[in-house]
Amino acid sequence: TTGQPPFTADLVFWAVGGVRPHSAFLPAEALDVEGFVRVDEYLRLPGRPEVFAVGDVAASDPLRSSARNWGYRIVTANVRRTLRGRTRLRRYRAPAYRWGSVLGLQAEGLTVVQPSGRRFRIPRRLAEPLLFSGFVTRYLYGGLRRPD
């Protein structure tokens, strides 16, 4: 997609930049040594059962996968259970492997990289409505609500 000629390589190393959380405004006792918000398996701040963290700022696992792997569902369920006085919460389990499209939707479509390293492409004319209308709008965000 960059226009450079094809090449072969023995190894491909993806580097997308340094990871620095936006957490400098939080108390130091809430953060790990890298500045991420410490969380337990329920995505709660240890010692503060009323505080939850999810996404790229949460130290849920080394890949911060709660941002991509339904971590928000765990947090919303656990907040709801906590507010109702329930003590049995849902655990967040990070996947063993990370896979998917590294660059997102491209001009040619969506390139999906499987854990085995194999790739396949979904043409843009199929990927765009499926990804945005079907998945993001309806499933991930629960549909857009029309103003009254």
Side-chain angles (χ1 to χ4, degrees):
T1 61
T2 63
Q4 86 181 45
F7 66 94
T8 58
D10 294 329
L11 173 73
V12 175
F13 181 77
W14 288 96
V16 292
V19 177
R20 275 184 242 134
H22 178 64
S23 61
F25 61 95
L26 295 172
E29 61 271 9
L31 307 176
D32 67 8
V33 295
E34 295 173 329
F36 293 95
V37 177
R38 294 182 300 114
V39 293
D40 62 14
E41 68 263 19
Y42 307 104
L43 298 176
R44 292 182 306 191
L45 183 66
R48 298 291 305 266
E50 75 283 7
V51 178
F52 293 84
V54 67
D56 292 335
V57 75
S60 57
D61 60 285
L63 296 175
R64 316 289 180 244
S65 68
S66 68
R68 297 170 298 284
N69 292 297
W70 312 111
Y72 74 92
R73 286 184 173 180
I74 302 293
V75 168
T76 55
N78 288 344
V79 166
R80 190 176 294 122
R81 289 175 183 192
T82 300
L83 291 174
R84 291 179 179 160
R86 297 182 183 159
T87 56
R88 189 167 183 227
L89 303 179
R90 289 178 57 190
R91 283 189 169 91
Y92 176 73
R93 291 180 185 89
Y97 301 98
R98 182 168 72 176
W99 67 279
S101 174
V102 176
L103 301 174
L105 192 61
Q106 301 168 6
E108 301 84 18
L110 183 68
T111 302
V112 178
V113 182
Q114 298 173 317
S116 65
R118 293 191 60 209
R119 298 167 174 246
F120 66 90
R121 176 164 299 176
I122 302 171
R124 188 176 185 108
R125 71 181 191 287
L126 297 174
E128 193 166 15
L130 179 68
L131 184 64
F132 293 116
S133 299
F135 181 73
V136 174
T137 304
R138 290 198 180 107
Y139 188 70
L140 187 62
Y141 294 121
L144 297 176
R145 283 133 187 105
R146 295 176 190 233
D148 294 329

